[in-house]
Amino acid sequence: MKFYSTNNKNLRINFEEAVFNSLPQDKGLYMPEYVPKLDPFFIKNIQNYSFQEIAFTIAKSFLQDDIPEQDLKKIINESVNFDAPVKFLSADTAVLELFHGPSYAFKDFGARFMSRIMGYFSKENDALLDVLVATSGDTGGAVALGFLGIAGTRVTILYPKGKVSKVQEEQLTTNGQNIRALEVEGTFDDCQALVKQAFNDPELQQKLRLTSANSINIARLIPQTFYYFWAYAQAKSQGIHEVVFTVPSGNFGNIGAGLLAYKMGLPVKHFVAGTNVNDTVPRFLTSGNYEPKSSTQTLSNAMDVGDPSNWVRILDLFDKNLDELKSIVTAYSYSDEQTKQAMDELYEKFNYIACPHTAIAYVASQDYKKDFPGEYASIFLSTAHACKFPDAIDEAVFSKIELPADAKNDQKKEKLATNLEVDYASFKSYLLS
Ligand SMILES: *Cc1c(COP(=O)(O)O)cnc(C)c1O
C-alpha cells in the first residue's frame, strides 16, 4: 500500500518512507491511499480470535506488500504483548483499559509498534537511527520503553525539569542502554523548540540519521486501531452487539484510529470525544468553524492541546463531509472541577480509581447516554494508569493505588539524566559528541 499527504493526494510514497519522514514536506499528514475493508466474515466471528491474531489481520491489510508475513507476525507478537481488557462496571458501562503496557499508557501501542517497524527497516542500514522526542510526560515514557534495546537505534528524550510526575520521570530516566534523558531547565514548549531546531539544522541532518517519534507518525496510528477491534470482540463474546466508544482526546490520534477502524468495517454505533477545556473540536462540531487557540493547562495535561494535530486526518477520512462526521462523532468538554467530580464518582460508585483523562471519558460517556439513551454498551477508554498523575488525584484516594510491579522496581534504580539549559548550541554539541 502507498501513502499520500493530506495536502497532496497525488503523492504516493511507500510505508518505509512515510515512517521515517513522519511528516510530509508539505506539512500535511500521511494517510493510506485507501482504507482496507476487513472481511465481513472475520468481523462476524471476531470473538473467536486472540488480540494478536486480530492485530495481525489488521496490520496485514495495510502492510502485506511492504513486510513479509512472518516478519510482520513477529513485529505484532512483540508489540502486542500485553492485554487491553474490557471491564464492565455496570450492565451497560465498561472501561477499556489501555494501560497494561510498559509505560502504563495507551501510547505504548503506538510506540512499541513504531519502534519495531523502524528497527525492522533499519537492519540493512549501518547508520545509527537517532530518535529525538520532546515530552510533557506520557509520550517520552512510551517511546523510551518502546525503543529500549532495539538494535541500531538511539533515543534522546527532552523533558521539562520538575514538570513530569515521579512515575513518569522514572520511566524516562532509569533505562540506560540506548535511551538518554535530558532534563531541560525550561518548559515543554522549550523542549519542543529545541527538537524542532535540531530537525531543521542542515549540519545535524547531514551527520546524523534523525527521526522523530511524534504522535502523527503513521506507524503509531495503525496499531491504535487494534484495540478497538479487540474491545468489540470482547463485548461480542458477552453477547453485546452495539457499542459506543468514548475517547479522551487531545491530539485526536486515538479517536482518529477508532474512526479508521470504523471505516475498515468495525461495527460501532457512535464515537464520543471527551476533552478538557481545550475544546477546539467540540466547538468545531457545533459551529462548523475550526478555530484553534493556544492551550490551557488542566488536570488532564496529556490533553492540553489547542490545535489537535491529527484533526486533519479525521477530516480527510471523511472527505471533509461534516454531516457524515457529525452523524458518527459527538464531543463534550469538561472543566477541572467536573473532572474531579467524575474521578470521585468513579471511586464512590464503582471503587474505580481513574486518571483525570479516563475520568473525562467516563463522564462524557454518561452524558452521551443521557442525551441519546438506547440499548447499547458504553465503552470508555482508560488511557493511563492513575499512578502517573498524583497531582490530579485526591491524596487519600491516591494512597490506595496499588503501584504496578515495574513502577516499584523503577523506584530502586538510579536516575540517569543529563541537565540541559535551554540553549541550542549545548543541545547540538550533546547530539554530536
Ligand atoms: C496522549 C494522551 C491522551 C490523548 O490522546 P490523543 O491521541 O492525543 O487524543 C489522553 N490520555 C492520556 C493519558 C494520554 O497520554
Side-chain angles (χ1 to χ4, degrees):
M1 176 181 294
K2 301 279 192 240
F3 294 79
Y4 63 73
S5 162
T6 50
N7 284 345
N8 177 7
K9 295 212 172 184
N10 296 317
L11 184 80
R12 287 289 180 279
I13 65 163
N14 64 25
F15 181 61
E16 179 176 351
E17 222 181 319
V19 169
F20 286 119
N21 289 353
S22 221
L23 263 185
Q25 299 252 300
D26 62 26
K27 304 276 191 279
L29 294 186
Y30 289 119
M31 284 295 278
E33 61 179 331
Y34 62 91
V35 176
K37 294 268 186 251
L38 295 190
D39 183 352
F41 184 80
F42 169 76
I43 291 175
K44 198 161 168 258
N45 294 286
I46 198 161
Q47 69 281 9
N48 301 327
Y49 293 87
S50 70
F51 191 11
Q52 289 185 341
E53 287 166 339
I54 291 170
F56 176 67
T57 301
I58 297 165
K60 201 171 76 172
S61 74
F62 286 98
L63 304 175
Q64 55 197 345
D65 305 333
D66 298 271
I67 302 176
E69 207 162 286
Q70 282 317 309
D71 294 330
L72 188 58
K73 201 164 258 174
K74 187 162 172 276
I75 290 169
I76 291 293
N77 290 348
E78 284 179 12
S79 43
V80 185
N81 64 344
F82 52 91
D83 197 13
V86 170
K87 295 184 178 166
F88 276 84
L89 300 180
S90 68
D92 66 355
T93 300
V95 51
L96 167 59
E97 292 184 344
L98 301 174
F99 56 71
H100 296 282
S103 82
Y104 324 135
F106 87 97
K107 291 184 173 74
D108 284 327
F109 284 98
R112 280 183 82 72
F113 183 77
M114 178 178 66
S115 60
R116 275 149 190 84
I117 291 285
M118 286 185 171
Y120 173 77
F121 284 130
S122 293
K123 250 184 247 151
E124 331 247 299
N125 200 318
D126 285 333
L128 188 71
L129 183 69
D130 252 304
V131 181
L132 299 187
V133 56
T135 186
S136 58
D138 273 357
T139 298
V143 170
L145 294 160
F147 278 93
L148 183 64
I150 300 269
T153 71
R154 177 173 71 175
V155 179
T156 307
I157 301 161
L158 289 79
Y159 73 97
K161 181 176 177 174
K163 295 193 173 69
V164 301
S165 75
K166 192 163 164 292
V167 168
Q168 284 173 330
E169 183 168 34
E170 283 161 0
Q171 288 177 351
L172 300 172
T173 59
T174 57
N175 296 298
Q177 295 186 56
N178 59 331
I179 311 298
R180 311 187 296 182
L182 290 175
E183 184 173 24
V184 177
E185 302 278 347
T187 63
F188 169 60
D189 289 340
D190 295 326
C191 298
Q192 242 182 342
L194 288 170
V195 167
K196 206 166 170 189
Q197 202 171 344
F199 279 113
N200 290 326
D201 185 325
E203 190 190 348
L204 286 185
Q205 279 185 348
Q206 196 221 329
K207 291 192 172 153
L208 303 174
R209 191 166 154 244
L210 291 178
T211 193
S212 91
N214 53 24
S215 78
I216 44 86
N217 196 296
I218 190 74
R220 283 176 65 166
L221 188 72
I222 293 172
Q224 289 177 180
T225 62
F226 300 165
Y227 46 76
Y228 287 94
F229 285 92
W230 175 231
Y232 176 75
Q234 292 174 72
K236 205 154 178 259
S237 68
Q238 305 238 352
I240 287 160
H241 292 270
E242 291 233 277
V243 299
V244 169
F245 285 113
T246 304
V247 188
S249 297
N251 267 319
F252 282 72
N254 193 355
I255 196 169
L259 291 164
L260 179 57
Y262 166 74
K263 290 274 181 176
M264 292 170 77
L266 182 68
V268 180
K269 188 176 163 62
H270 205 76
F271 288 90
V272 182
T275 73
N276 54 35
V277 292
N278 294 287
D279 60 350
T280 301
V281 167
R283 281 185 294 116
F284 170 77
L285 289 176
T286 309
S287 70
N289 299 323
Y290 187 80
E291 290 165 341
K293 53 182 190 187
S294 50
S295 65
T296 303
Q297 239 186 353
T298 73
L299 287 180
S300 48
N301 58 19
M303 312 200 302
D304 292 349
V305 182
D307 187 5
S309 53
N310 279 290
W311 188 247
V312 289
R313 243 183 201 139
I314 293 175
L315 289 181
D316 190 82
L317 205 51
F318 286 82
D319 278 325
K320 300 204 166 74
N321 183 337
L322 190 58
D323 290 332
E324 190 198 351
L325 186 56
K326 280 163 85 165
S327 73
I328 191 76
V329 185
T330 301
Y332 298 95
S333 97
Y334 299 95
S335 67
D336 277 353
E337 203 42 54
Q338 290 170 309
T339 306
K340 278 190 203 152
Q341 275 171 18
M343 283 191 280
D344 288 348
E345 186 175 317
L346 273 168
Y347 184 63
E348 280 155 21
K349 254 189 170 164
F350 307 110
N351 201 25
Y352 193 83
I353 304 179
C355 85
H357 316 80
T358 303
I360 284 180
Y362 164 72
V363 64
S365 77
Q366 300 308 293
D367 282 345
Y368 182 77
K369 189 120 221 175
K370 265 178 236 150
D371 290 346
F372 302 94
E375 299 278 313
Y376 56 83
S378 295
I379 302 180
F380 65 96
L381 276 58
S382 174
T383 44
H385 194 291
C387 74
K388 298 185 89 175
F389 299 94
D391 295 344
I393 297 173
D394 182 75
E395 233 173 284
V397 175
F398 192 81
S399 67
K400 298 206 167 67
I401 295 175
E402 175 69 33
L403 266 194
D406 285 348
K408 281 191 200 147
N409 227 348
D410 284 350
Q411 291 178 335
K412 297 183 205 132
K413 293 186 195 159
E414 188 193 351
K415 173 174 164 179
L416 305 165
T418 303
N419 199 269
L420 184 77
E421 297 291 330
V422 184
D423 171 43
Y424 182 65
S426 322
F427 179 45
K428 183 170 174 176
S429 68
Y430 176 84
L431 289 175
L432 287 173
S433 66

